[in-house]
């Protein structure tokens, strides 16, 4: 890409950053400094606005860059992510959205602590939320490094390091000064841009094949080097029984993980009622469903038009497939049309990363301040000091995410998000469902459920091929791999549920029937909801 075209892309980047910083500045002048304002935006958003914000929060770099890249490289098997991410919203809609909005205030721990001993439950749930958020942030950092490295024509470690640090600094600014209100509007703007970009590229791909989707698939298969196998299961996950179990593990993590993601759950508190929360999810499902259908076209389009070899040469994990496709559709990277379309798509992808990292950072800093800090300093904590702690936590979490993001630069972003989903499904979902639906659930059960899912999930990832033992690992030069699967969900998710049950049945604590009745009425009717 020429210097002139790189300049164009950088200008579009700068425009989006300027707009989002303007939104943050405007919001920071009109905020009241209360916890409700910082964590939930004053609960003033409509279902449509919140639905767009949820979609903006959920359609991350993993969706736009990672999934399309996996489809371009592995065909049918790459579509597992599109299907899993979308089906997960049915769990959220039918089991979680309204009940969480009625029972909680700002975080997951609010729901669980409503009928338990608060301090141990908040510490456990807060710790889990921070771990999940940091894992999710790593994926966004990796996406940012890949994208800007391609844009600048430099994939050097220095270029990617500076990009990751820049993204981390921006997300800290958004969260610290703008809180939930600024983050929400950034996500709404990003969702509109992302849908517009995806629609544009999808239409251009289909026009290349005269609307014939079958021809698109056939061309992609021919260009892939795998022939008909490209359109059949098994290219990535069907080689042996280990790969098949990895496939099932990933599917479980994707379908069950969304309902345990802290930054998704926190979005239900930004609307005034549970009915508004449910309607928000309906809006989000419509937007997200359409988007994931388009990622299938974009992935196969990249395979058919750009070719897996060129995609892999640009980025080994396929993270740059969509920008390369955009440049091709515009007439090639050296043409003005290709450069404009590439710059537009790259700016949208960068906007995607900035918006998502802001939402995740806000959710994790809320967990640190509202759950961990407030539990340890319960008698002395006030709302204003809690918000100050949340702002400071955003800086610390940003620093950790930057450091880990630099380590994981060569991994596919959709794959990294799959790990975050596995931890969320293992540690957060069991305690949430038990708290909402099991009358006999106790404090020990809640704490055991969180740690019984969190610790095995993280430990299995550390002992898996993700970290060591293969050329694609974080540390390829060492080998302490014990667990053969790349995703721990098939083991750690049942362990989370089992630990919650075991902790409850071995507990000497009598479940509080009165608190359970209050929680049940509140969750189903909204009576007494904040």
């Amino acid at each position: 890409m020429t210097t002139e075209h790189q300049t164009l892309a950088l200008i579009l980047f700068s425009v989006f950053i300027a707009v989002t910083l303007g939104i943050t500045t405007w919001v920071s002048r009109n905020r009241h400094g209360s916890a409700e304002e910082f964590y939930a935006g004053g609960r003033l958003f409509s279902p449509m606005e919140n639905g767009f914000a949820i979609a903006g929060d959920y359609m991350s770099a993993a969706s736009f860059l990672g999934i399309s890249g996996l489809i371009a490289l592995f065909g049918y098997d790459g579509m597992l992510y599109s299907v899993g991410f979308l089906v997960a919203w049915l769990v959220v809609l039918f089991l979680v959205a309204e009940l969480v909005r009625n029972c909680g205030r700002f975080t997951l721990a609010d729901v669980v602590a409503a009928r338990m001993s608060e301090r141990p439950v908040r510490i456990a749930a807060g710790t889990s939320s921070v771990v999940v958020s940091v894992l999710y942030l790593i994926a966004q950092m990796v996406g940012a490094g890949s994208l800007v490295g391609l844009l600048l024509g430099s994939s050097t470690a220095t270029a990617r390091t500076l990009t990751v640090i820049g993204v981390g600094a921006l997300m800290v600014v958004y969260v610290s000064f703008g809180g939930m209100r600024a983050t929400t509007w950034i996500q709404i703007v990003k969702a509109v841009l992302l849908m517009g970009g995806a629609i544009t590229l999808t239409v251009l791909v289909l026009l290349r094949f005269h609307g014939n989707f079958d021809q698109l698939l056939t061309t992609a298969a021919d260009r892939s080097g795998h022939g008909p196998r490209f359109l059949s299961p098994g290219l990535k996950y069907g080689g042996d029984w280990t790969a098949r179990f990895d496939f099932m593990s990933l599917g479980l993590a994707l379908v069950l993980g969304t309902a345990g993601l802290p930054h998704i759950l926190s979005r239900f508190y930004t609307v005034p009622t549970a009915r508004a929360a449910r309607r928000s999810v309906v809006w989000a499902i419509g937007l997200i469903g359409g988007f994931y259908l388009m990622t299938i076209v974009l992935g196969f389009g990249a395979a058919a038009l750009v070719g897996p070899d060129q995609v892999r040469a640009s980025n080994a994990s396929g993270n740059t497939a969509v920008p390369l496709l955009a440049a091709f559709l515009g007439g090639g990277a050296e043409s003005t049309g290709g450069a404009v379309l590439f710059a537009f798509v790259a700016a949208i992808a960068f906007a995607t990363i900035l918006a998502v990292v802001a939402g995740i950072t806000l959710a994790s800093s809320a967990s640190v301040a509202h759950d961990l800090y407030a539990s340890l300093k319960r008698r002395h904590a006030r709302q204003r000091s809690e918000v100050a702690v949340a702002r400071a936590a955003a800086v610390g979490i940003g620093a950790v995410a930057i450091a880990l993001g630099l380590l994981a630069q060569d991994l596919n972003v959709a794959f990294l998000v799959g790990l975050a989903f596995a931890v969320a499904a293992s540690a957060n979902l069991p305690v949430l469902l038990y708290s909402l639906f099991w009358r006999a659930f106790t404090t020990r059960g809640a704490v055991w459920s969180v740690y019984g899912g969190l610790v095995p999930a993280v430990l299995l990832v550390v002992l898996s091929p993700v970290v060591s033992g293969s050329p694609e690992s974080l540390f390829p030069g060492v080998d302490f791999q014990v667990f053969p699967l790349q995703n721990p969900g098939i083991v750690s998710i049942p362990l989370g549920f089992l630990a919650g049950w075991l902790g409850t049945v071995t507990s000497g604590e009598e479940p509080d029937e009165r608190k359970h009745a209050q929680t049940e009425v509140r969750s189903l009717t909204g009576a007494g909801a904040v």
Side-chain angles (χ1 to χ4, degrees):
M1 182 172 284
T2 65
T3 303
E4 180 185 348
H5 296 152
Q6 288 176 357
T7 303
L8 174 63
L10 288 172
I11 289 172
L12 288 176
F13 271 22
S14 303
V15 168
F16 179 80
I17 292 171
V19 169
T20 52
L21 288 175
I23 291 171
T24 304
T25 304
W26 172 71
V27 168
S28 65
R29 289 177 178 175
N30 293 279
R31 58 182 168 84
H32 307 297
S34 67
E36 184 169 295
E37 176 70 26
F38 185 79
Y39 296 143
R43 310 190 201 281
L44 298 175
F45 293 99
S46 70
M48 184 181 77
E49 290 169 344
N50 198 42
F52 270 83
I54 290 172
D57 225 347
Y58 194 70
M59 296 185 300
S60 66
S63 305
F64 195 48
L65 302 177
I67 294 176
S68 301
L70 284 173
I71 294 173
L73 297 181
F74 300 106
Y76 183 97
D77 280 6
M79 290 198 300
L80 169 65
Y81 287 88
S82 291
V83 175
F85 282 147
L86 179 56
V87 171
W89 278 97
L90 298 178
V91 178
V92 177
L93 178 62
F94 292 121
L95 289 180
V96 173
E98 284 188 80
L99 306 185
V100 165
R101 174 61 189 86
N102 282 335
C103 289
R105 190 176 176 212
F106 301 129
T107 64
L108 164 70
D110 289 336
V111 180
V112 183
R115 47 179 290 224
M116 309 290 173
S117 177
E118 279 204 39
R119 186 168 178 171
V121 168
R122 284 192 179 278
I123 291 172
T127 301
S128 171
S129 294
V130 172
V131 171
V132 172
S133 298
V134 169
L135 281 172
Y136 211 114
L137 280 172
I138 294 169
Q140 312 310 315
M141 298 298 188
V142 171
S146 300
L147 187 67
V148 177
L150 177 66
L151 172 70
L152 298 176
S154 170
S155 295
T156 63
T158 303
R160 293 204 279 184
T161 298
L162 292 175
T163 300
V164 169
I165 292 171
V167 170
L170 280 170
M171 77 183 184
V172 170
V173 170
Y174 293 147
V175 173
S176 299
F177 292 98
M180 178 60 85
R181 191 170 296 188
T183 300
T184 300
W185 281 112
I186 290 168
Q187 286 158 347
I188 291 171
V189 171
K190 167 257 175 143
V192 172
L193 287 173
L194 185 59
M195 290 299 291
I199 290 169
T200 301
L201 291 182
T202 300
V203 169
L204 290 175
V205 168
L206 292 176
L207 285 175
R208 286 272 176 162
F209 295 92
H210 309 290
N212 189 333
F213 191 68
D214 183 59
Q215 185 184 350
L216 167 63
L217 295 179
T218 304
T219 306
D222 292 341
R223 189 86 185 267
S224 70
H226 298 288
R229 287 186 60 215
F230 192 69
L231 304 179
S232 304
L235 194 59
K236 181 174 175 63
Y237 294 109
D240 53 27
W241 277 106
T242 300
R244 293 175 189 177
F245 276 112
D246 229 344
F247 178 89
M248 291 186 282
S249 187
L250 178 62
L252 274 175
L254 296 182
V255 171
L256 299 178
T258 300
L261 292 176
H263 66 292
I264 296 298
L265 294 176
S266 66
R267 291 239 54 90
F268 300 137
Y269 301 124
T270 63
V271 290
T273 64
R275 182 169 180 265
R278 184 180 70 249
R279 289 173 61 198
S280 297
V281 175
V282 173
W283 272 99
I285 288 175
L287 293 166
I288 292 166
F291 175 76
Y292 283 125
L293 288 175
M294 288 187 283
T295 61
I296 296 173
V297 176
L298 298 181
F300 282 114
L305 299 174
V306 179
D309 291 339
Q310 189 176 337
V311 170
R312 196 176 280 108
S314 172
N315 183 275
S317 299
N319 293 333
T320 54
V322 172
L324 291 174
L325 174 64
F328 182 92
L329 291 170
E334 299 301 322
S335 68
T336 301
V340 169
L341 197 55
F342 173 90
F344 175 61
V345 169
I348 289 173
F350 197 66
T352 294
I353 291 165
L354 288 178
V356 172
V357 296
I360 301 167
T361 306
L362 179 60
S364 52
S365 63
S367 293
V368 170
H370 185 63
D371 299 328
L372 300 179
Y373 170 77
S375 294
L376 297 173
K377 302 285 185 180
R378 174 64 59 188
R379 294 179 181 176
H380 308 290
R382 295 179 179 176
Q383 283 195 349
R384 287 187 181 275
S385 64
E386 191 179 300
V387 171
V389 171
R391 292 195 175 101
V395 177
I397 290 163
V400 172
I402 288 170
L404 294 175
L406 294 175
L407 272 178
Q409 287 183 11
D410 294 324
L411 297 180
N412 181 277
V413 287
F415 166 74
L416 286 169
V417 166
L419 296 182
F421 272 59
V423 178
S426 304
N428 292 348
L429 184 64
V431 72
L432 181 60
L433 294 183
Y434 277 148
S435 298
L436 291 171
F437 300 111
W438 189 13
R439 183 180 299 274
F441 198 44
T442 63
T443 300
R444 178 191 282 185
V447 173
W448 283 26
S449 181
V450 173
Y451 292 129
L454 177 65
V455 174
V458 173
L459 186 62
L460 290 175
V461 170
V462 171
L463 298 176
S464 75
V466 175
V467 176
S468 71
S470 73
E472 296 82 23
S473 301
L474 290 179
F475 304 106
V478 294
D479 186 2
F480 46 86
Q481 173 196 337
V482 176
F483 184 65
L485 305 184
Q486 292 189 323
N487 192 292
I490 198 168
V491 175
S492 58
I493 295 172
L495 284 178
F497 282 99
L498 178 62
W501 172 81
L502 191 61
T504 297
V505 298
T506 60
S507 173
E509 174 190 354
E510 286 292 326
D512 192 325
E513 294 285 342
R514 182 178 60 84
K515 281 189 177 180
H516 176 268
Q518 289 176 347
T519 302
E520 188 173 43
V521 170
R522 180 173 169 178
S523 67
L524 295 174
T525 67
V530 178

